[in-house]
Amino acid sequence: MRRSISLLTLLLVASGLLAPSVGAQSERAPGEPCGRTTIDATLRINPQTGVLECAPGEPVRVRTELAQPQPDRARTRDALTSFFAIADVQLADEESPARGEGSDPCYPSPGISSSAFRPHETMVPHLMNAHVRAANEIAAAGSPNLGDHFDFLVGLGDLADNQQYNEIRWIIDILDGGKLVNPDTGNDPVLGGEGYDGPQARDPRGGGGRTPQQASPDLPADGVLELANEPFWATGFRHGNDDAAERLPWYSLPGNHDVKVQGTLPDEASGRDHNELKAWRAIYRSYYIGNAKVVLQDLPPEYKQELCGAIKEGKADRVARLLEEWSKDPVLVASATSRKVVPADQARMALYRSDQIKTAGDEEACLAVATPARPIAQHACRSSWIEEHRITDGVPVGHGYGENDGDESPRCRDNQGKLLERACYSFTSGLFHYIALDSNPPEGMEKGNIDPRQFEWLERELIANSSTYYDADGKKVHNRAGTDHMIVVFAHHPTEESMVNQAPTSPGKTGADLRKLLLRFPNVILNANGHTHQNRIWARSNETLGTGYWEVNTSAIADVPTQSRTIEIANNNDGTLSIFATVFDAWVAPNAAEVEWHGHDHSHETEHGAERDINEDWLASWGREVMLHDPQQDLTKKAGTENDRNVELLLKTPEWLRTATELTYTGETSEQVGKTLDASAVLTTASGRPLSGMTVTFTYGPDTHTATTDASGIAAASFQLTGPPRGGSLSIGFAGTDAYQPSNITVPVTVYASPRRQASAASPGGVAVI
């Protein structure tokens, strides 16, 4: 199953993921990572050995589709926020009966799918842990472009692979940290359950076809598949990789794999009445936690053909019914050639995304699948994807959903205050309002949409955080009730290609609808998402309205190139914002052979009650190498282009965020008729910095003059005071620019007919014109 080294290298170089082979560019100790981010160093495959090694870093590229860069922006900018984005861990219980790796043969030439089976899947938990450790190292050093502190990490969906209770718990526990995480499953008292019971017959091989033992002679004899199923220590998301370091906040939102079997098959099937649905769910959960695993390759041809047809056509309801039929077919259940026996485990229970999706009686149906050999913990039946996020040692409690669903919950609600079924929420921090969407329709298959009730909630959120916006007809609306914030939207599905689900059983708004809505609001600056397993970035704009925002798609941890991102946002104070999106790799050495199993182990599981010490860094490094030699991976596509990786994304500053200005009058306030009134004013920022090259308008009576400010911020104009005597006010105005807010002042002016008349102004016969 391994591609040739030359072809793999060619693909990597063509993708821009790897540079042509030259010597390593930086000094580092053996066993250490190449760099904090890919600005510092990248990875490449050595064409002779097929093994990963360090390569030069990749520069930051400036994208100007939405605004033009100003030359001094690095000097004038202020950092506003920084956060991490991770996506598509798809951390799989590789021993579960519900895994769908047997569906790979359904797909057309070359005869394999891109995600159902991964040879490195046993090491994905360790890769996830290594990405958290990378984030910790970056957080301790400061954000890569601005040197800023980090505010939070957000998981953009598909953190679990199969909506299972144990997968979701592993993710939460790895992010929380400060504990052992045991990725092994199977607790059947009859069959046991210790060790690996997945589909692989031998340890996966790495570069050049080398075995793990050839790479690392000090590796324990158990083999990688067994070692990867031992408990390992997770530090968690912190300000540094010390267990005592400060915990940092992390947030989560669901992807299709979090709430559907293999990301495609839902808990519910359309057209079923309640009792039928309860029965289906009971069967479904029994299959999840049981020990009879359907093996597609060995099914009777008619069954296999029907299932493959349903998968290719996206008929999730039909797939569900086939599983139900098979579970009741005594011939298939008894057949040793159409199923695999694995240790059962109640921790594989499928979770609903929220209590609102549960139907009355489903808890009892869940508990009904229990047997004396396989008791069901009532918690697993009563819990949900949201509730599990509230069982945490990390911060904040609920990780976006709040401590409970009371009135103070940040969860999305309809205009009557009733919680929505989908798992959306929002929160405000400083100048920013963050909106997390649930783009996963309850019907089958992997494509996304936004249901009408959530779409209405989203529009209300946008309006509440905008003092001006455009209605559906393009008319500008001044919203006195709105409080201005910059708006960042999180979702699992990108609007391009993926948010296109228009199934009649689950009608909703598509990505085109979402883009159109977001572009009505000048305060929207960013939409961050995952799902595609690719690094991609799009500029979104409405030229008629003059609005625009950036859409940033982050690749998967589960697949090539196994990368995550930092996002940094700055106000350049010149009429533009900069959004820096920077790619980073797992915090492990490029070559597992550099990592001594015992000597380079930074944590000791035996100190926390485990039977043996596991080197999770070695496992992560080996898993990444195996991944890069997986022929199912599309290396040329997933890494993205150079404009999709390390970038500075420019856009116009929202009007309310422009720098405040002040005008101070410094000219004459009185003069004789027939002479010249010399008017002048100084234009500065609110903090007192002079603004040069700006246009200031002076108006006195019917006369208007414009002037440009000099290096000291001074503008001047002269008015010829012709008779007869007249009085009034001098108006001075700065109309503002993309960078600076407007300002205006009015100055009273005294005009007199002659010096003698002025001198007698206080006497009964004197005349003063003001």
Side-chain angles (χ1 to χ4, degrees):
M1 294 181 66
R2 182 175 55 84
R3 289 193 190 275
S4 67
I5 295 301
S6 58
L7 175 58
L8 180 60
T9 304
L10 177 63
L11 288 171
L12 287 167
V13 172
S15 73
L17 175 62
L18 304 180
S21 181
V22 294
Q25 299 298 303
S26 60
E27 294 293 331
R28 66 178 184 89
E32 292 296 315
C34 295
R36 287 192 179 91
T37 74
T38 56
I39 296 175
D40 305 320
T42 57
L43 298 171
R44 62 166 173 239
I45 289 181
N46 184 296
Q48 282 74 45
T49 65
V51 176
L52 278 171
E53 61 186 17
C54 298
E58 189 170 58
V60 176
R61 291 170 172 83
V62 181
R63 291 189 54 173
T64 60
E65 294 98 311
L66 299 181
Q68 291 300 309
Q70 300 302 311
D72 292 333
R73 66 188 184 283
R75 180 178 59 83
T76 60
R77 69 168 48 116
D78 294 317
L80 300 179
T81 189
S82 298
F83 59 88
F84 295 96
I86 64 172
D88 296 88
V89 184
Q90 292 189 215
L91 198 161
D93 174 3
E94 78 276 12
E95 302 164 284
S96 171
R99 288 293 309 290
E101 68 272 5
S103 67
D104 283 358
C106 286
Y107 287 78
S109 179
I112 50 178
S113 69
S114 62
S115 63
F117 168 72
R118 299 179 175 93
H120 57 278
E121 60 191 7
T122 57
M123 290 159 279
V124 170
H126 312 92
L127 273 167
M128 169 64 178
N129 189 62
H131 276 257
V132 174
R133 294 191 64 227
N136 293 350
E137 288 289 332
I138 297 168
S143 63
N145 295 282
L146 301 177
D148 192 23
H149 71 279
F150 280 88
D151 292 322
F152 60 88
L153 175 150
V154 60
L156 295 170
D158 277 7
L159 302 186
D161 188 59
N162 218 20
Q163 74 164 159
Q164 292 181 190
Y165 165 78
N166 56 353
E167 293 175 346
I168 292 166
R169 280 277 16 128
W170 292 335
I171 286 291
I172 294 170
D173 291 344
I174 290 172
L175 284 166
D176 280 356
K179 66 189 68 177
L180 291 172
V181 177
N182 184 2
D184 191 22
T185 65
N187 65 358
D188 192 307
V190 177
L191 295 176
E194 291 296 324
Y196 179 75
D197 295 296
Q200 300 190 69
R202 66 174 189 178
D203 283 347
R205 298 191 175 215
R210 65 176 180 170
T211 66
Q213 291 74 21
Q214 289 171 331
S216 301
D218 66 336
L219 189 71
D222 309 54
V224 167
L225 297 175
E226 295 295 326
L227 293 169
N229 277 273
E230 292 287 333
F232 67 91
W233 182 257
T235 299
F237 181 46
R238 297 172 184 267
H239 193 274
N241 274 319
D242 186 340
D243 288 339
E246 172 196 6
R247 292 183 185 272
L248 295 177
W250 65 268
Y251 294 86
S252 184
L253 58 91
N256 52 299
H257 278 264
D258 295 306
V259 297
K260 300 178 184 180
V261 184
Q262 293 285 223
T264 58
L265 192 62
D267 283 327
E268 49 197 285
S270 62
R272 295 181 177 226
D273 64 29
H274 179 64
N275 289 330
E276 185 182 10
L277 185 58
K278 280 174 58 180
W280 154 241
R281 284 174 167 169
I283 293 170
Y284 199 42
R285 279 153 176 71
S286 181
Y287 178 72
Y288 255 85
I289 67 172
N291 56 28
K293 177 181 175 66
V294 171
V295 180
L296 178 64
Q297 294 93 324
D298 297 324
L299 284 173
E302 63 275 15
Y303 272 126
K304 182 178 177 180
Q305 182 179 359
E306 192 168 6
L307 175 64
C308 287
I311 291 173
K312 289 178 181 179
E313 296 171 16
K315 303 293 185 183
D317 291 348
R318 183 59 188 149
V319 175
R321 288 185 181 276
L322 285 170
L323 280 178
E324 186 175 350
E325 290 170 12
W326 296 341
S327 68
K328 297 177 181 179
D329 188 322
V331 176
L332 287 178
V333 171
S335 171
T337 61
S338 64
R339 70 187 180 107
K340 175 182 174 67
V341 177
V342 297
D345 195 335
Q346 56 149 333
R348 295 172 180 148
M349 183 62 64
L351 289 184
Y352 300 97
R353 81 183 77 187
S354 67
D355 288 339
Q356 285 65 42
I357 289 183
K358 291 182 182 180
T359 312
D362 277 336
E363 182 181 318
E364 288 74 16
C366 175
L367 291 168
V369 306
T371 68
R374 295 197 302 274
I376 302 298
Q378 293 194 14
H379 169 72
C381 290
R382 292 172 178 166
S383 189
S384 66
W385 191 87
I386 288 176
E387 285 302 319
E388 283 307 308
H389 283 76
R390 292 169 175 158
I391 303 172
T392 178
D393 298 322
V395 293
V397 176
H399 301 292
Y401 297 100
E403 297 186 21
N404 53 59
D405 286 338
D407 293 340
E408 300 303 315
S409 170
R411 283 187 59 190
C412 47
R413 301 171 184 267
D414 63 19
N415 53 15
Q416 304 299 316
K418 183 179 179 182
L419 289 169
L420 302 185
E421 292 180 346
R422 294 212 199 175
C424 38
Y425 62 89
S426 66
F427 65 97
T428 298
S429 178
L431 293 172
F432 294 88
H433 187 68
Y434 300 96
I435 301 174
L437 300 177
D438 181 346
S439 57
N440 306 284
E443 61 81 43
M445 307 317 291
E446 79 282 3
K447 301 298 184 183
N449 68 22
I450 306 296
D451 60 290
R453 296 177 69 204
Q454 184 181 193
F455 200 79
E456 292 170 1
W457 167 79
L458 170 61
E459 185 171 13
R460 292 195 300 272
E461 288 284 305
L462 296 171
I463 291 173
N465 289 277
S466 302
S467 63
T468 60
Y469 63 93
Y470 297 91
D471 66 17
D473 297 322
K475 182 180 178 181
K476 194 169 188 177
V477 177
H478 295 280
N479 176 28
R480 293 183 178 180
T483 302
D484 280 312
H485 292 97
M486 283 175 283
I487 299 171
V488 176
V489 177
F490 300 128
H492 178 60
H493 294 85
T495 59
E496 189 87 359
E497 301 173 1
S498 298
M499 199 178 288
V500 294
N501 193 317
Q502 294 179 301
T505 56
S506 183
K509 301 291 187 177
T510 65
D513 298 318
L514 179 59
R515 288 197 301 271
K516 185 176 180 181
L517 175 64
L518 296 182
L519 286 168
R520 288 170 40 201
F521 293 84
N523 283 355
V524 174
I525 63 170
L526 174 65
N527 176 13
N529 44 55
H531 185 68
T532 68
H533 297 209
Q534 299 176 53
N535 289 319
R536 300 174 73 184
I537 296 176
W538 301 274
R540 305 299 189 194
S541 64
N542 184 318
E543 294 183 4
T544 301
L545 303 181
T547 57
Y549 66 89
W550 288 96
E551 184 168 348
V552 176
N553 190 216
T554 295
S555 64
I557 290 177
D559 284 333
V560 166
T562 189
Q563 292 177 329
S564 301
R565 286 193 194 267
T566 63
I567 304 289
E568 306 163 76
I569 304 176
N571 184 356
N572 295 321
N573 294 306
D574 61 4
T576 66
L577 301 176
S578 287
I579 301 175
F580 293 93
T582 304
V583 169
F584 65 91
D585 293 304
W587 188 250
V588 290
N591 182 356
E594 298 179 8
V595 183
E596 298 176 11
W597 183 264
H598 298 292
H600 292 153
D601 187 10
H602 66 86
S603 64
H604 298 286
E605 286 75 17
T606 53
E607 296 177 357
H608 304 282
E611 294 183 0
R612 65 191 305 180
D613 284 336
I614 296 299
N615 193 320
E616 55 272 27
D617 286 356
W618 188 97
L619 291 165
S621 182
W622 186 254
R624 181 170 61 186
E625 182 174 322
V626 170
M627 174 193 299
L628 286 168
H629 291 80
D630 178 6
Q632 293 174 301
Q633 302 297 325
D634 186 346
L635 304 175
T636 60
K637 184 176 182 181
K638 292 182 178 179
T641 70
E642 61 186 18
N643 287 323
D644 295 310
R645 296 192 289 266
N646 297 340
V647 292
E648 178 186 358
L649 309 171
L650 286 161
L651 71 163
K652 293 180 180 179
T653 305
E655 185 173 339
W656 60 272
L657 196 60
R658 297 175 187 173
T659 303
T661 62
E662 290 183 358
L663 279 166
T664 303
Y665 188 68
T666 57
E668 298 176 341
T669 58
S670 65
E671 187 51 86
Q672 179 182 345
V673 171
K675 294 193 175 184
T676 299
L677 177 73
D678 294 320
S680 63
V682 178
L683 178 65
T684 66
T685 65
S687 61
R689 177 169 61 89
L691 296 176
S692 63
M694 302 295 169
T695 300
V696 175
T697 301
F698 297 82
T699 300
Y700 178 65
D703 299 327
T704 297
H705 301 290
T706 60
T708 302
T709 57
D710 63 15
S712 299
I714 299 172
S718 297
F719 293 87
Q720 188 66 38
L721 302 178
T722 59
R726 69 178 188 270
S729 298
L730 174 65
S731 297
I732 306 134
F734 169 58
T737 67
D738 288 342
Y740 300 104
Q741 294 181 16
S743 55
N744 297 276
I745 57 173
T746 300
V747 179
V749 173
T750 301
V751 178
Y752 49 91
S754 68
R756 183 184 59 79
R757 299 286 294 276
Q758 181 189 34
S760 61
S763 66
V767 177
V769 180
I770 299 176

